[in-house]
Each structure stands twice: as C-alpha cells, then as structure tokens.
Amino acid sequence: MPEENIELVRRTMDAVNRGDLTAWARGLHDEIVYYPLAENPQTEPVHGVAAVLEFVADWLEPWDEYTVEVTRAVDAGDRVFVATKHSARHETGAEISMEMYIAGAVQDGRYVELKWFMNEPDALEATRLSE
C-alpha cells in the first residue's frame, strides 16, 4: 500500500537522523541487497542486514553530524523512489551538502533492495518510473 511504503521511508530516515541505526535496520528485509553509489570505493552489492548495517555505520562514523532530508518520495507499488538531501559535517570540520536518490524495492513492509544514485534520472529508471 502506498501509505505503508511512504511511512517506511519516513520511519527509516527519521531513525538515521536520530543516529539510531538499530531502528533504521528494522526497516530492512532479512534478504536485503544494498547497492552503494557507483562513485563509492566499494561498488559491490552488500547482502544481509548485518553487513548493510556495518557498511552504513562505517560510512557515518567519520561525520560529527549527518542529516538526511527527504525531498520527494514516490510509491511505485513494490518499489519506491526517494529524493534526498544530505547535509553533514566531517570530523575535520569539512561540510557537505548533496542530493542523492534511492530506488528501493519493498517486500513485506521492509526494504529488500536499496540502490543509491547521484542523479535522479538513473534512480527513476531503476524504480521503473522513467518514461
């Protein structure tokens, strides 16, 4: 149901913003496959909740502050498109602000697949929303 998928997006992003990765991981299906950004040094898919949780914790570890704002979420049945704005301050004092996009697949009310993109058209295509 559309409301449930959008609620999943809201609930998991709120958990990230609170720094509660355990709550975030509750939104992941046991068979989760997580596809990092193509620009990430690790481009291989990450399989399973524990491995995904470790990957995300490693990504967030050097940031003193990290917030994710959902700017758009579109339900596509068993898939969801999410546009996000990330703002962070690194332990060195450097600050970033960037947009990233997620193409997610949902099964049993949890993410079974998350693919990250730096550009919207690729994420829309992966979500099967492009024309």
Side-chain angles (χ1 to χ4, degrees):
M1 295 183 174
E3 305 95 38
E4 290 175 11
N5 290 344
I6 300 304
E7 174 59 22
L8 173 65
V9 170
R10 187 199 61 74
R11 188 175 66 248
T12 54
M13 291 304 177
D14 285 350
V16 168
N17 289 332
R18 289 191 315 272
D20 188 349
L21 292 184
T22 301
W24 174 78
R26 286 188 205 110
L28 305 179
H29 192 279
D30 293 342
E31 297 177 18
I32 182 72
V33 180
Y34 185 97
Y35 296 84
L37 290 167
E39 296 79 5
N40 192 299
Q42 179 184 335
T43 58
E44 294 298 314
V46 181
H47 298 265
V49 175
V52 170
L53 190 54
E54 181 179 347
F55 180 88
V56 172
D58 286 348
W59 165 256
L60 293 174
E61 191 272 326
W63 303 99
D64 286 337
E65 295 177 19
Y66 200 101
T67 58
V68 181
E69 175 189 358
V70 174
T71 58
R72 183 174 165 217
V74 178
D75 184 270
D78 63 346
R79 303 191 72 73
V80 64
F81 164 83
V82 186
T84 62
K85 180 179 179 184
H86 296 241
S87 300
R89 186 171 40 85
H90 194 265
E91 60 190 14
T92 63
E95 294 185 8
I96 64 162
S97 179
M98 63 184 168
E99 294 178 357
M100 289 192 275
Y101 305 89
I102 303 167
V106 179
Q107 182 179 323
D108 301 325
R110 296 181 289 163
Y111 290 114
V112 70
E113 181 180 275
L114 286 170
K115 291 184 178 181
W116 286 88
F117 298 89
M118 290 300 294
N119 64 69
E120 187 173 9
D122 288 346
L124 287 167
E125 182 177 333
T127 313
R128 302 181 193 121
L129 291 172
S130 63
E131 297 180 338

